[in-house]
């Protein structure tokens, strides 16, 4: 699921499989915890941004908590529930901290903490936690991408580019990494490099996402004054 965490198909498949696992063992608290997190992720990425989806995440979370509230997986999932579904950053950090105490080398918990810190504007803490998560899981394209995104927000474009390149190297099908790298060059006014990234994405990706790739083609065309080309793409 981490490989395709922002891909609707993969998150939906994860939900289906966690539901099957939970149905086979009513005391399988890990399945309920991960199901809750998957439901929360489905809500967070606006695949279904409804109160009903939040209710499904809470229902699975409640079952996990009833079975084994002390388990780190339960607090790990609670952290993401409060972060993604409630935007309650203090509660999210509270539960992430409990989970991390029991699993100090869990890169996903550290990534959750880093993401919340970034939303709180505590960028130095966000970078530190993303870097530690990356050291623990150096093959994670998701962590590399998020570290790059954080550097981009800090306008440390050189480090951001390095992280995006690593994310793409680790997962050549990572659409979001191409689009954010394109935006990185657009923000610097370098449409030539932005176009090169989009051309690379077109060669590498099996499916061209209109919201992430074609949209950025439109932006590049607009900034280069190629309005007819931009209108064709929009049509």
């Amino acid at each position: 699921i981490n490989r395709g965490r922002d891909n609707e198909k993969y998150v939906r498949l994860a939900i289906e499989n966690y539901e099957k696992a939970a149905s086979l063992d009513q005391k399988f608290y890990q399945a309920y915890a991960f199901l809750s997190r998957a439901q929360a992720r489905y809500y967070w990425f606006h695949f279904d941004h409804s109160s009903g989806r939040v209710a499904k995440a809470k229902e699975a979370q409640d079952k996990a908590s009833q079975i084994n509230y002390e388990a780190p997986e339960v607090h790990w999932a609670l952290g993401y529930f409060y972060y993604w579904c409630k935007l309650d950053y203090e509660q999210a950090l509270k539960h992430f901290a409990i989970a991390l105490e029991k699993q100090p080398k869990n890169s996903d918990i550290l990534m959750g903490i880093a993401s919340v810190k970034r939303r709180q504007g505590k960028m130095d803490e966000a970078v530190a936690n993303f870097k530690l998560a990356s050291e623990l899981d150096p093959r994670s394209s998701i962590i590399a991408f998020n570290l790059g995104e954080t550097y981009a927000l800090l306008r440390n474009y050189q480090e951001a580019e390095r992280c995006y390149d690593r994310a793409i190297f680790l997962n050549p099908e990572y659409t979001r990494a191409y689009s954010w790298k394109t935006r990185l060059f657009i923000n610097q006014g370098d449409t030539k490099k932005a176009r090169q990234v989009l051309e690379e994405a077109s060669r590498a990706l099996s499916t061209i996402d209109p919201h992430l790739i074609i949209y950025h083609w439109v932006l590049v065309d607009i900034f280069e004054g190629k309005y007819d080309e931009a209108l064709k793409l929009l049509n």
Side-chain angles (χ1 to χ4, degrees):
I1 190 172
N2 275 337
R3 182 180 176 92
R5 60 180 288 171
D6 53 3
N7 182 297
E8 191 272 341
K9 173 185 174 182
Y10 290 119
V11 181
R12 177 165 39 82
L13 286 172
I15 289 172
E16 292 173 2
N17 282 287
Y18 287 137
E19 287 177 335
K20 290 177 182 177
S23 68
L24 293 171
D25 184 351
Q26 298 298 313
K27 294 185 179 181
F28 193 2
Y29 66 87
Q30 293 100 329
Y32 285 114
F34 295 147
L35 172 59
S36 173
R37 192 173 57 146
Q39 296 282 20
R41 178 173 285 151
Y42 208 82
Y43 173 82
W44 176 252
F45 282 105
H46 285 249
F47 302 135
D48 175 15
H49 199 70
S50 68
S51 58
R53 185 62 58 173
V54 175
K56 289 181 179 180
K58 187 177 187 307
E59 180 184 4
Q61 183 61 61
D62 287 345
K63 289 180 179 178
S65 297
Q66 289 167 8
I67 298 168
N68 188 356
Y69 182 72
E70 301 302 319
E73 294 89 350
V74 173
H75 290 281
W76 177 9
L78 270 168
Y80 278 105
F81 175 78
Y82 280 111
Y83 168 30
W84 282 337
C85 294
K86 298 296 183 181
L87 298 181
D88 188 334
Y89 301 142
E90 293 304 324
Q91 282 295 317
L93 288 174
K94 170 188 171 183
H95 288 287
F96 281 140
I98 294 171
L100 189 65
E101 185 176 352
K102 299 180 179 183
Q103 294 184 349
K105 293 186 177 182
N106 187 316
S107 62
D108 197 81
I109 298 171
L110 286 164
M111 189 168 66
I113 293 171
S115 299
V116 173
K117 293 290 186 180
R118 184 170 62 191
R119 288 202 154 243
Q120 291 179 318
K122 299 176 181 178
M123 305 302 280
D124 289 341
E125 293 181 55
V127 168
N129 279 283
F130 277 130
K131 288 177 72 175
L132 181 55
S134 185
E135 290 169 8
L136 291 169
D137 190 0
R139 298 180 66 184
S140 171
S141 59
I142 299 292
I143 297 173
F145 168 78
N146 273 276
L147 180 56
E149 188 177 16
T150 309
Y151 277 128
L153 290 169
L154 291 168
R155 298 185 183 181
N156 187 339
Y157 297 133
Q158 185 175 357
E159 283 300 309
E161 183 181 354
R162 183 183 66 81
C163 291
Y164 290 151
D165 285 342
R166 179 165 181 77
I168 291 168
F169 171 77
L170 291 167
N171 180 7
E173 285 280 333
Y174 196 176
T175 302
R176 194 172 293 270
Y178 291 105
S179 64
W180 259 245
K181 185 180 176 184
T182 302
R183 186 176 298 181
L184 187 72
F185 291 123
I186 289 175
N187 289 344
Q188 297 174 78
D190 193 336
T191 56
K192 181 179 179 180
K193 284 189 176 180
R195 191 175 289 278
Q196 288 173 350
V197 176
L198 291 170
E199 290 170 352
E200 179 188 358
S202 297
R203 291 190 298 268
L205 298 174
S206 56
T207 302
I208 302 301
D209 188 315
H211 302 291
L212 294 176
I213 300 301
I214 296 179
Y215 169 73
H216 284 89
W217 273 112
V218 171
L219 286 182
V220 170
D221 282 340
I222 289 172
F223 290 135
E224 290 185 345
K226 299 177 180 178
Y227 303 120
D228 288 340
E229 287 85 345
L231 285 170
K232 289 178 182 177
L233 287 172
L234 288 171
N235 287 333

